[in-house]
Amino acid sequence: MKIKVKVNGYHKTFDVNPDEYLLDTLRANEYLSVKKGCDNSSCGVCTVLFDGKPVPSCSLLSMKADGHEITTVEGIQKDAERLSEYFGEEGADQCGYCNPSMALTVFALKKEIKDPTDEQIKDYLVGNLCRCTGYQSQHIAIKKYLGDDQL
Amino acid sequence: MKIDHFYKASSIEDAYEVLTKNSKNAIIAGGAWMRLSSKEIDTAIDLSELGMDKVVVEDDFIIIGAMTTLHSVESNQDILQLGNGILSQAIHKIMGITIRNLATIGGSVIGKYGFSDILTPLLVLDTTLEFYRKGKISLEEFLDSKDKEPDILINILLKKQNTKGYFYKMKKNSLDFAVVNVAVSNTNGDYKIAVGARPSITHLAKEAMHFMNQQKVISDVVILEAVEIAMNEYKFGSNSRASEEYRKQIAAVYVQRGLNEVTR
Ligand SMILES: Cc1cc2nc3c(=O)[nH]c(=O)nc-3n(C[C@H](O)[C@H](O)[C@H](O)COP(=O)(O)OP(=O)(O)OC[C@H]3O[C@@H](n4cnc5c(N)ncnc54)[C@H](O)[C@@H]3O)c2cc1C
């Protein structure tokens, strides 16, 4: 079955099975920044923006994406680069597997909550697991990014 | 989960017709829970295009479309005001933002999940469900019913009233199911108590509620007695999260706190 979606601003048509998930469709079409993790909405690494909202692409049927807009980390390049500079400064990077999903969720947080508190930042990111850093350095980097008025 | 065909319904009538054609056809909402099942579905019926993802506020009711995502429900200003925002609080404690942007309130009610953090606060608010075939029934009646006839949940109606509410989810980490969850409400002297994830499905502590509703003055002693009655009417169980005894002790503490809070 064919679906028409807009990925990072570009119109695309994908051929999908009725029980195929968006994560697998995107990866099969070379959007490899979208990572495969738990496949049950628990780890967050497959996060994409669906009409601007962060969702687990591993649990969103590709058929349900028909007619909608998808954003991967490449679609928020400027913000992702700035966030990754802050991550670098704070030593908040190790393997990098969770970085694209983290960047997308932080980007959505910035759009949804103005001047979030520490608690709101932690709450918003609770579903984005990172096995390397212990979160504290990421938290500091994210606060710097959110306070960056150049963006 | 295996799906042979995907069908975008053009109306509720259309969805119901396809649903009742084959016992292997199923409604798909957010699909997050179905993702975990090993079911084989002939036709997955998608309701996404029927405009059922809105919250409408009327004079007496807040009407939540069954396809409204959990995050939209949680952030709705009128729902935040109702019963001290216990439904929003309960939803906020479910997993992370991403799944709450996908999972729907309808899928959460229909499944009658034992672990549900949503059914417990809904039970102590005045909640009515509107189905395509069954029409309107109370949430309590739905939870008690053994009716297995296929149907489509259209709306969840919350009565707008001056309710004091309390909710607590005891869990071991941010992403886990509840060890136990507790909701208590007081609407002009009418008390409601519900305990869920025991680990079986939530229900009201009717005897304890009756006892509370008969009291002229609510003292600490009255509350302690109500807690004891409630704990005797609930059955608790053990699983990998907690033992029966632990659940019972935790539930007692939070029912007591809840009653104190909604009485103040
Ligand atoms: C990893 C994970 C962790 C979770 N943790 C929690 C938790 O801690 N607490 C909690 O309360 N919940 C939890 N949930 C459940 C979640 O909150 C939702 O309740 C669940 O995902 C169902 O919503 P859905 O939209 O995904 O439904 P779906 O998966 O699409 O559907 C679920 C069922 O409902 C039926 N259905 C859906 N909508 C309708 C309708 N309108 N009419 C008739 N039938 C319908 C479907 O046919 C299906 O049988 C968790 C879910 C997941 C995947």
Side-chain angles (χ1 to χ4, degrees):
Chain A
M1 295 168 103
K2 297 247 187 288
I3 60 164
K4 288 190 170 158
V5 287
K6 213 169 169 187
V7 187
N8 300 329
Y10 295 96
H11 291 282
K12 299 275 172 182
T13 303
F14 298 135
D15 210 353
V16 302
N17 293 320
D19 49 8
E20 185 172 322
Y21 287 91
L22 186 63
L23 165 66
D24 301 310
T25 305
L26 289 171
R27 288 188 63 82
N29 287 280
E30 309 294 333
Y31 294 96
L32 298 176
S33 66
V34 190
K35 305 295 186 208
K36 201 170 174 74
C38 67
D39 256 352
N40 64 25
S41 334
S42 297
C43 73
V45 294
C46 66
T47 301
V48 295
L49 303 184
F50 181 66
D51 295 336
K53 293 185 178 149
V55 297
S57 63
C58 73
S59 297
L60 175 65
L61 282 168
S62 302
M63 286 299 297
K64 284 179 79 84
D66 189 26
H68 292 268
E69 272 188 47
I70 314 294
T71 310
T72 69
V73 77
E74 291 81 2
I76 58 158
Q77 196 170 349
K78 193 169 157 225
D79 282 80
E81 276 172 10
R82 185 57 67 92
L83 181 65
S84 93
E85 281 164 23
Y86 287 125
F87 267 39
E89 275 174 27
E90 296 303 325
D93 248 344
Q94 274 189 36
C95 81
Y97 201 72
C98 69
N99 282 13
S101 60
M102 197 71 82
L104 286 159
T105 312
V106 172
F107 180 80
L109 161 70
K110 191 173 162 194
K111 297 262 177 242
E112 188 175 335
I113 308 176
K114 204 172 154 35
D115 301 326
T117 61
D118 282 341
E119 218 40 55
Q120 284 174 315
I121 297 172
K122 285 182 194 165
D123 262 5
Y124 209 90
L125 288 159
V126 80
N128 286 79
L129 302 187
C130 168
R131 287 296 179 221
C132 304
T133 62
Y135 303 108
Q136 190 53 31
S137 48
Q138 288 176 339
H139 185 79
I140 298 167
I142 288 165
K143 279 185 74 164
K144 287 190 170 170
Y145 159 83
L146 292 172
D148 187 337
D149 13 318
Q150 306 282 299
L151 287 162
Chain B
M1 179 177 59
K2 204 178 158 325
I3 301 174
D4 292 337
H5 310 279
F6 189 93
Y7 183 74
K8 286 186 190 179
S10 58
S11 66
I12 294 276
E13 296 76 18
D14 177 36
Y16 185 74
E17 203 181 307
V18 178
L19 180 65
T20 46
K21 245 187 209 157
N22 180 339
S23 60
K24 284 192 158 181
N25 292 353
I27 300 290
I28 184 138
W33 192 252
M34 291 173 92
R35 167 79 169 107
L36 310 180
S37 100
S38 51
K39 257 195 191 158
E40 292 197 4
I41 293 172
D42 185 300
T43 302
I45 306 156
D46 182 25
L47 308 177
S48 301
E49 292 180 5
L50 306 186
M52 289 166 63
D53 56 349
K54 291 174 187 60
V55 180
V56 176
V57 182
E58 292 187 346
D59 287 348
D60 296 333
F61 291 96
I62 300 174
I63 304 171
I64 313 173
M67 290 292 285
T68 311
T69 65
L70 295 182
H71 188 51
S72 298
V73 175
E74 156 193 14
S75 19
N76 179 280
Q77 286 308 313
D78 292 273
I79 295 172
L80 273 162
Q81 308 280 314
L82 187 72
N84 300 114
I86 53 173
L87 180 58
S88 306
Q89 289 168 34
I91 292 176
H92 192 69
K93 296 284 172 203
I94 297 173
M95 301 287 288
I97 184 81
T98 58
I99 192 163
R100 302 201 304 272
N101 274 328
L102 185 64
T104 62
I105 187 88
S108 305
V109 168
I110 281 284
K112 298 189 184 178
Y113 308 117
F115 57 76
S116 179
D117 298 315
I118 294 174
L119 293 173
T120 305
L122 281 179
L123 257 188
V124 304
L125 297 170
D126 200 332
T127 304
T128 304
L129 307 179
E130 184 181 355
F131 286 90
Y132 178 73
R133 183 184 61 86
K134 281 191 278 289
K136 286 185 185 167
I137 59 168
S138 72
L139 173 64
E140 204 189 335
E141 191 184 336
F142 169 70
L143 294 181
D144 287 343
S145 147
K146 301 267 180 287
D147 180 5
K148 291 265 186 274
E149 284 295 301
D151 208 345
I152 300 174
L153 178 63
I154 301 174
N155 288 313
I156 290 131
L157 291 84
L158 306 177
K159 184 133 184 237
K160 278 168 82 180
Q161 43 195 4
N162 194 10
T163 298
K164 286 185 189 169
Y166 170 91
F167 176 80
Y168 192 82
K169 174 181 185 177
M170 166 85 177
K171 57 180 177 172
K172 291 185 169 171
N173 69 53
S174 307
L175 301 180
D176 204 1
F177 290 129
V179 162
V180 81
N181 59 38
V182 171
V184 180
S185 70
N186 171 5
T187 309
N188 307 319
D190 181 24
Y191 286 83
K192 286 198 164 81
I193 302 165
V195 179
R198 306 181 324 277
S200 53
I201 192 162
T202 191
H203 66 83
L204 294 170
K206 290 266 184 63
E207 289 169 34
M209 282 159 47
H210 180 69
F211 171 79
M212 283 297 289
N213 292 339
Q214 280 188 325
Q215 306 302 314
K216 292 215 167 59
V217 179
I218 308 292
S219 63
D220 288 351
V221 177
V222 165
I223 287 179
L224 278 177
E225 199 167 336
V227 171
E228 200 179 326
I229 298 170
M231 291 310 113
N232 285 332
E233 60 185 302
Y234 279 124
K235 256 202 179 130
F236 292 86
S238 303
N239 65 5
S240 57
R241 274 182 190 80
S243 67
E244 178 185 340
E245 295 78 8
Y246 182 73
R247 280 199 162 91
K248 190 168 179 175
Q249 291 210 11
I250 293 293
V253 170
Y254 288 104
V255 170
Q256 185 187 348
R257 286 188 193 176
L259 285 171
N260 269 318
E261 194 142 320
V262 301
T263 301
R264 257 193 263 131

XYZ file of all heavy atoms in Angstrom, chain A residues 1 17-19 21 24 36 39-44 47-48 50 53-56 58-61 63-64 66-68 105 112 123-129, chain B residues 1-8 28-32 34-36 44 46-49 67 69 71-72 75 92-93 95-102 174-175:
587
model
N 0.844 -1.189 0.000
C 0.000 0.000 0.000
C 0.888 1.251 0.000
O 1.954 1.236 0.613
C -0.878 0.000 1.262
C -1.880 -1.151 1.284
S -2.641 -1.349 2.880
C -4.225 -0.630 2.578
N 3.630 -2.170 4.222
C 2.692 -3.246 4.571
C 1.721 -2.717 5.617
O 2.073 -1.813 6.379
C 3.445 -4.440 5.154
C 4.315 -5.092 4.112
O 3.903 -5.223 2.961
N 5.521 -5.469 4.504
N 0.528 -3.335 5.727
C -0.455 -2.836 6.721
C 0.056 -2.920 8.161
O -0.382 -2.153 9.006
C -1.661 -3.760 6.536
C -1.442 -4.496 5.283
C -0.002 -4.443 4.920
N 0.970 -3.860 8.439
C 1.456 -3.967 9.823
C 2.918 -3.506 9.958
O 3.646 -3.958 10.834
C 1.271 -5.382 10.377
C 1.776 -6.452 9.442
O 2.414 -6.095 8.423
O 1.514 -7.636 9.716
N 5.738 -0.657 10.817
C 5.841 0.521 11.689
C 6.728 1.585 11.055
O 7.640 1.266 10.281
C 6.330 0.100 13.078
C 5.224 -0.616 13.821
C 5.094 -2.003 13.745
C 4.246 0.104 14.499
C 4.033 -2.651 14.366
C 3.183 -0.538 15.123
C 3.084 -1.910 15.059
O 2.019 -2.537 15.659
N 10.532 1.285 10.849
C 11.100 0.395 9.836
C 10.981 1.004 8.443
O 11.891 0.867 7.624
C 10.413 -0.974 9.919
C 10.610 -1.581 11.301
O 11.755 -1.620 11.766
O 9.613 -1.968 11.941
N 16.721 2.047 16.149
C 15.877 0.951 16.638
C 16.330 0.598 18.050
O 17.529 0.441 18.295
C 16.049 -0.248 15.716
C 14.910 -1.244 15.775
C 15.081 -2.258 14.635
C 14.068 -3.375 14.686
N 12.728 -2.977 14.273
N 11.530 -1.376 20.602
C 10.376 -1.732 19.772
C 9.067 -1.837 20.553
O 8.132 -2.504 20.113
C 10.627 -3.055 19.020
C 10.942 -2.803 17.547
O 10.824 -1.645 17.096
O 11.318 -3.757 16.853
N 9.008 -1.214 21.738
C 7.717 -1.216 22.448
C 7.439 0.104 23.169
O 6.793 0.113 24.215
C 7.599 -2.418 23.396
C 8.612 -2.386 24.506
O 9.102 -1.322 24.890
N 8.941 -3.533 25.059
N 7.889 1.174 22.634
C 7.668 2.547 23.139
C 8.295 2.844 24.488
O 7.897 3.786 25.162
C 6.190 2.925 23.291
O 5.333 2.267 22.497
N 9.276 2.071 24.905
C 9.800 2.269 26.254
C 11.127 3.018 26.329
O 11.451 3.567 27.378
C 9.987 0.920 26.957
O 8.759 0.281 27.096
N 11.915 3.031 25.238
C 13.271 3.584 25.394
C 13.449 4.960 24.757
O 14.364 5.693 25.125
C 14.305 2.613 24.840
S 14.341 2.532 23.042
N 12.630 5.295 23.783
C 12.670 6.646 23.201
C 13.619 6.843 22.035
O 13.554 7.878 21.377
N 12.327 8.073 18.511
C 11.464 9.263 18.468
C 11.609 10.041 17.150
O 12.721 10.295 16.680
C 11.813 10.210 19.639
O 11.628 9.493 20.855
C 10.944 11.461 19.644
N 10.440 10.412 16.591
C 10.413 11.375 15.486
C 9.328 12.386 15.839
O 8.525 12.144 16.747
C 10.053 10.713 14.125
C 11.117 9.727 13.687
C 8.671 10.050 14.152
N 5.915 13.921 14.830
C 4.757 13.585 13.996
C 3.838 14.802 14.064
O 3.304 15.108 15.139
C 4.090 12.330 14.586
C 2.891 11.842 13.823
C 3.026 11.347 12.535
C 1.627 11.848 14.398
C 1.921 10.874 11.841
C 0.518 11.384 13.707
C 0.666 10.892 12.425
N 4.906 16.775 16.974
C 4.893 16.215 18.334
C 5.759 14.965 18.411
O 5.696 14.115 17.513
C 3.463 15.843 18.734
C 2.585 17.053 18.870
C 1.229 16.678 19.369
C 0.406 17.938 19.544
N -0.989 17.736 19.315
N 6.542 14.824 19.487
C 7.398 13.630 19.574
C 6.587 12.366 19.827
O 5.766 12.328 20.739
C 8.311 13.948 20.775
C 7.573 14.958 21.585
C 6.701 15.717 20.643
N 6.821 11.343 18.990
C 6.133 10.045 19.153
C 7.155 8.918 18.955
O 8.175 9.108 18.294
C 4.978 9.847 18.125
C 3.875 10.875 18.291
C 5.494 9.841 16.699
N 6.857 7.740 19.500
C 7.751 6.592 19.265
C 7.433 5.974 17.904
O 6.371 5.374 17.729
C 7.390 5.629 20.416
C 5.996 5.989 20.808
C 5.721 7.404 20.374
N 8.473 3.435 16.561
C 8.402 1.966 16.593
C 6.984 1.480 16.813
O 6.677 0.325 16.579
C 9.295 1.395 17.694
S 8.646 1.661 19.366
N 6.110 2.359 17.318
C 4.746 1.922 17.642
C 3.690 2.640 16.827
O 2.501 2.458 17.060
C 4.468 2.122 19.139
O 5.342 1.324 19.886
N 4.118 3.465 15.892
C 3.167 4.165 15.027
C 3.107 3.432 13.692
O 4.111 3.372 12.956
C 3.618 5.625 14.818
C 2.784 6.451 13.850
C 1.357 6.648 14.362
C 3.421 7.823 13.616
N 1.963 2.869 13.384
C 1.827 2.156 12.107
C 2.075 3.134 10.963
O 1.539 4.255 10.975
C 0.426 1.560 11.982
C 0.162 0.281 12.774
C -1.331 -0.038 12.790
C 0.945 -0.893 12.211
N 0.896 3.206 8.102
C -0.369 3.584 7.455
C -1.002 4.794 8.139
O -1.687 5.594 7.503
C -1.359 2.410 7.489
C -1.045 1.290 6.527
S -1.040 1.803 4.801
C -2.724 2.321 4.568
N -0.795 4.907 9.440
C -1.386 6.037 10.170
C -0.648 7.347 9.886
O -1.122 8.419 10.238
C -1.397 5.741 11.677
C -2.500 4.759 12.064
C -2.493 4.447 13.532
C -3.119 5.501 14.363
N -4.584 5.394 14.456
N 0.091 8.317 6.890
C -0.319 8.802 5.567
C -0.923 10.210 5.669
O -1.831 10.444 6.476
C -1.360 7.814 4.989
C -1.674 8.119 3.538
O -0.806 8.704 2.848
O -2.789 7.777 3.092
N -0.375 11.136 4.896
C -0.906 12.503 4.881
C -0.333 13.401 5.977
O -0.764 14.544 6.120
N 0.606 12.887 6.744
C 1.144 13.675 7.864
C 2.602 14.095 7.623
O 3.243 13.657 6.683
C 1.040 12.860 9.153
C -0.372 12.645 9.579
N -1.028 13.487 10.441
C -1.278 11.686 9.235
C -2.271 13.060 10.617
N -2.450 11.965 9.898
N 13.273 15.496 21.026
C 12.379 15.686 22.178
C 12.656 17.033 22.841
O 11.731 17.749 23.233
C 12.522 14.512 23.180
O 12.463 13.291 22.462
C 11.426 14.515 24.230
N 6.972 23.581 23.225
C 5.740 23.403 24.010
C 5.741 24.171 25.324
O 4.714 24.699 25.738
C 5.506 21.904 24.280
C 4.148 21.652 24.907
C 3.802 20.177 25.090
O 4.333 19.319 24.365
O 2.990 19.901 25.995
N 10.794 15.702 33.497
C 9.532 15.035 33.173
C 9.395 14.807 31.677
O 8.971 13.747 31.239
C 8.356 15.942 33.586
C 7.797 15.540 34.925
O 8.362 14.641 35.556
O 6.782 16.151 35.336
N 9.726 15.824 30.907
C 9.541 15.753 29.457
C 10.461 14.698 28.845
O 10.148 14.077 27.843
C 9.821 17.122 28.830
C 9.043 17.391 27.561
C 7.789 17.990 27.620
C 9.548 17.056 26.314
C 7.055 18.238 26.469
C 8.830 17.301 25.151
C 7.587 17.894 25.237
O 6.857 18.152 24.091
N 11.619 14.501 29.482
C 12.617 13.603 28.889
C 12.647 12.220 29.533
O 13.526 11.418 29.227
C 14.004 14.256 28.980
C 14.150 15.432 28.020
C 15.268 16.349 28.449
C 14.398 14.926 26.611
N 11.670 11.964 30.401
C 11.729 10.727 31.179
C 11.696 9.472 30.289
O 12.263 8.437 30.635
C 10.604 10.730 32.252
C 9.266 10.353 31.663
C 10.942 9.835 33.410
N 11.092 9.600 29.115
C 11.002 8.436 28.231
C 12.172 8.314 27.260
O 12.162 7.439 26.398
N 13.160 9.188 27.372
C 14.335 9.115 26.490
C 15.513 8.567 27.285
O 16.187 9.315 28.000
C 14.687 10.494 25.926
C 13.711 10.939 24.859
O 12.616 11.400 25.166
N 14.087 10.771 23.610
N 15.737 7.271 27.140
C 16.780 6.651 27.965
C 18.163 6.855 27.345
O 18.330 6.893 26.133
C 16.512 5.154 28.113
C 15.166 4.770 28.729
C 15.108 3.272 28.978
C 14.907 5.512 30.034
N 2.086 -8.185 16.409
C 0.738 -8.126 15.853
C 0.796 -8.217 14.328
O 1.632 -7.577 13.708
C 0.093 -6.794 16.257
C -1.294 -6.605 15.731
S -2.062 -5.069 16.297
C -0.942 -3.817 15.681
N -0.098 -9.010 13.791
C -0.142 -9.150 12.337
C -1.434 -8.497 11.826
O -2.500 -8.716 12.402
C -0.126 -10.640 11.994
C 0.383 -10.922 10.625
C 0.423 -12.397 10.342
C 0.401 -12.675 8.843
N -0.381 -11.789 7.994
N -1.301 -7.668 10.814
C -2.501 -7.022 10.248
C -2.530 -7.313 8.743
O -1.546 -7.050 8.046
C -2.459 -5.483 10.450
C -2.364 -5.129 11.939
C -3.669 -4.814 9.822
C -2.168 -3.647 12.210
N -3.644 -7.839 8.264
C -3.728 -8.134 6.823
C -4.164 -6.919 6.003
O -3.681 -6.704 4.905
C -4.713 -9.286 6.568
C -4.162 -10.591 7.122
O -2.932 -10.685 7.274
O -4.959 -11.497 7.424
N -5.126 -6.161 6.568
C -5.625 -4.996 5.820
C -5.765 -3.809 6.766
O -6.049 -3.992 7.952
C -7.012 -5.267 5.197
C -7.071 -6.537 4.426
N -6.606 -6.648 3.136
C -7.519 -7.775 4.777
C -6.774 -7.891 2.719
N -7.319 -8.600 3.697
N -5.603 -2.615 6.207
C -5.758 -1.395 6.998
C -6.866 -0.587 6.349
O -6.842 -0.336 5.147
C -4.443 -0.610 6.980
C -4.417 0.541 7.925
C -3.919 0.393 9.214
C -4.884 1.793 7.529
C -3.889 1.458 10.097
C -4.866 2.862 8.409
C -4.358 2.699 9.694
N -7.852 -0.192 7.164
C -9.008 0.496 6.598
C -9.252 1.822 7.311
O -9.387 1.861 8.537
C -10.248 -0.404 6.742
C -11.484 0.169 6.134
C -11.653 0.207 4.749
C -12.491 0.689 6.935
C -12.801 0.753 4.187
C -13.649 1.237 6.381
C -13.785 1.271 5.001
O -14.907 1.815 4.449
N -9.303 2.903 6.542
C -9.605 4.219 7.122
C -11.100 4.424 7.073
O -11.659 4.584 5.973
C -8.925 5.324 6.310
C -7.449 5.405 6.540
C -6.883 6.612 5.821
C -5.377 6.541 5.843
N -4.735 7.630 5.178
N -8.357 0.267 15.604
C -7.014 0.629 16.054
C -7.032 2.107 16.441
O -7.492 2.954 15.680
C -5.928 0.293 14.998
C -4.553 0.595 15.547
C -6.140 0.992 13.673
C -3.534 -0.439 15.216
N -6.589 2.383 17.665
C -6.568 3.778 18.118
C -5.118 4.266 17.995
O -4.606 4.363 16.882
C -7.114 3.857 19.530
N -4.428 4.502 19.116
C -3.020 4.873 19.016
C -2.197 3.693 18.517
O -1.160 3.852 17.869
N -2.648 2.503 18.866
C -1.967 1.284 18.437
C -0.800 0.900 19.338
O -0.140 -0.117 19.114
N -0.541 1.685 20.378
C 0.635 1.442 21.224
C 0.503 0.141 22.013
O 1.473 -0.603 22.177
C 0.849 2.616 22.180
N -1.717 -2.367 21.216
C -1.880 -3.462 20.246
C -0.517 -3.900 19.717
O -0.322 -5.060 19.379
C -2.776 -3.009 19.102
C -4.212 -2.807 19.546
S -5.225 -2.100 18.256
C -5.876 -3.567 17.472
N 0.416 -2.977 19.667
C 1.776 -3.254 19.206
C 2.387 -4.420 19.980
O 3.179 -5.202 19.461
C 2.617 -1.980 19.440
C 4.116 -2.115 19.330
C 4.467 -2.118 17.893
N 5.846 -1.994 17.559
C 6.579 -3.011 17.106
N 6.086 -4.220 17.057
N 7.811 -2.811 16.703
N 2.018 -4.505 21.262
C 2.627 -5.509 22.127
C 1.929 -6.864 22.031
O 2.424 -7.846 22.577
C 2.590 -5.053 23.600
C 3.107 -3.643 23.899
C 2.999 -3.362 25.381
C 4.546 -3.491 23.440
N -7.634 -3.818 10.304
C -7.487 -2.812 11.364
C -8.257 -1.583 10.915
O -8.024 -1.052 9.815
C -6.019 -2.474 11.567
N -9.166 2.181 11.271
C -8.594 3.415 11.810
C -9.669 4.507 11.895
O -10.365 4.778 10.910
C -7.457 3.864 10.872
C -6.755 5.102 11.366
O -6.790 5.347 12.576
O -6.177 5.825 10.522
N -9.781 5.112 13.078
C -10.805 6.153 13.285
C -10.216 7.564 13.191
O -10.902 8.545 13.474
C -11.454 5.983 14.673
C -12.001 4.608 15.061
C -12.537 4.642 16.493
C -13.110 4.181 14.102
N -8.944 7.649 12.784
C -8.222 8.930 12.855
C -8.876 10.082 12.104
O -8.663 11.237 12.436
C -6.805 8.803 12.295
O -6.105 7.859 13.005
N -9.618 9.732 11.066
C -10.137 10.827 10.230
C -11.562 11.233 10.578
O -12.214 11.958 9.825
C -9.990 10.453 8.753
C -8.519 10.428 8.393
C -8.203 10.077 6.964
O -9.130 9.932 6.152
O -7.001 9.949 6.680
N -10.614 9.270 20.534
C -9.304 9.247 19.869
C -8.377 10.365 20.362
O -7.300 10.577 19.794
C -9.502 9.365 18.354
C -10.107 8.141 17.710
S -8.993 6.725 17.753
C -7.824 7.178 16.467
N -5.519 12.053 22.245
C -4.309 11.456 22.828
C -4.237 11.785 24.316
O -4.799 12.791 24.781
C -3.015 11.980 22.153
O -2.897 13.383 22.432
C -3.005 11.733 20.658
N -1.814 12.934 25.978
C -1.180 14.228 26.273
C -2.145 15.391 26.056
O -2.113 16.371 26.804
C 0.101 14.407 25.449
C 0.884 15.621 25.863
N 1.222 15.881 27.172
C 1.374 16.661 25.141
C 1.890 17.021 27.250
N 1.994 17.521 26.035
N -3.023 15.275 25.052
C -4.018 16.342 24.854
C -4.991 16.378 26.024
O -5.420 17.454 26.434
C -4.813 16.127 23.573
O -3.977 16.154 22.469
N -3.232 17.944 29.116
C -2.938 19.378 29.105
C -4.168 20.252 28.905
O -4.039 21.466 28.846
C -1.871 19.717 28.054
O -1.724 18.732 27.100
N -0.141 12.109 33.515
C 1.226 12.634 33.528
C 2.239 11.606 34.049
O 3.410 11.642 33.694
C 1.252 13.896 34.393
C 2.508 14.667 34.258
N 2.837 15.339 33.113
C 3.544 14.852 35.111
C 4.014 15.911 33.269
N 4.468 15.629 34.478
N 1.750 10.687 34.857
C 2.648 9.678 35.456
C 2.812 8.447 34.567
O 3.423 7.460 34.977
C 2.111 9.231 36.823
C 2.078 10.322 37.866
C 3.463 10.594 38.385
C 3.505 11.801 39.278
N 4.814 12.424 39.375
N 4.516 6.652 31.645
C 5.647 6.619 30.719
C 6.160 8.027 30.393
O 6.174 8.887 31.237
C 5.249 5.891 29.430
C 4.798 4.457 29.617
S 6.142 3.339 29.996
C 6.977 3.238 28.427
N 6.605 8.212 29.116
C 7.142 9.510 28.708
C 6.181 10.220 27.772
O 5.142 9.677 27.380
N 6.576 11.424 27.400
C 5.714 12.260 26.560
C 5.416 11.598 25.211
O 4.318 11.755 24.670
C 6.380 13.655 26.346
C 5.489 14.593 25.555
C 7.727 13.577 25.650
C 4.465 15.230 26.399
N 6.377 10.836 24.659
C 6.195 10.306 23.300
C 5.018 9.345 23.249
O 4.159 9.452 22.379
C 7.468 9.626 22.760
O 7.834 8.571 23.640
C 8.613 10.601 22.625
N 4.949 8.444 24.209
C 3.825 7.478 24.170
C 2.514 8.189 24.479
O 1.466 7.855 23.928
C 4.082 6.268 25.087
C 3.030 5.186 24.779
C 4.063 6.592 26.533
C 3.392 3.839 25.281
N 2.574 9.230 25.300
C 1.325 9.953 25.619
C 0.839 10.786 24.428
O -0.294 11.225 24.400
C 1.507 10.814 26.880
C 1.923 10.000 28.104
C 1.616 10.716 29.397
N 2.204 12.019 29.508
C 3.418 12.287 29.982
N 4.201 11.307 30.407
N 3.852 13.526 30.051
N 1.723 11.018 23.461
C 1.299 11.683 22.224
C 0.711 10.691 21.228
O 0.243 11.084 20.155
C 2.498 12.374 21.551
C 2.720 13.771 22.097
O 1.767 14.447 22.476
N 3.970 14.201 22.139
N 0.804 9.407 21.533
C 0.321 8.377 20.615
C -0.890 7.654 21.191
O -1.922 7.516 20.527
C 1.464 7.373 20.360
C 1.207 6.294 19.332
C 1.011 6.904 17.956
C 2.409 5.331 19.289
N 10.124 5.697 36.996
C 9.271 6.571 36.187
C 8.525 5.845 35.071
O 7.476 6.305 34.639
C 10.102 7.667 35.548
O 10.840 8.316 36.518
N 9.101 4.761 34.554
C 8.499 4.133 33.384
C 7.694 2.886 33.729
O 7.231 2.179 32.842
C 9.583 3.781 32.361
C 10.425 4.947 31.842
C 11.455 4.462 30.835
C 9.566 6.021 31.205
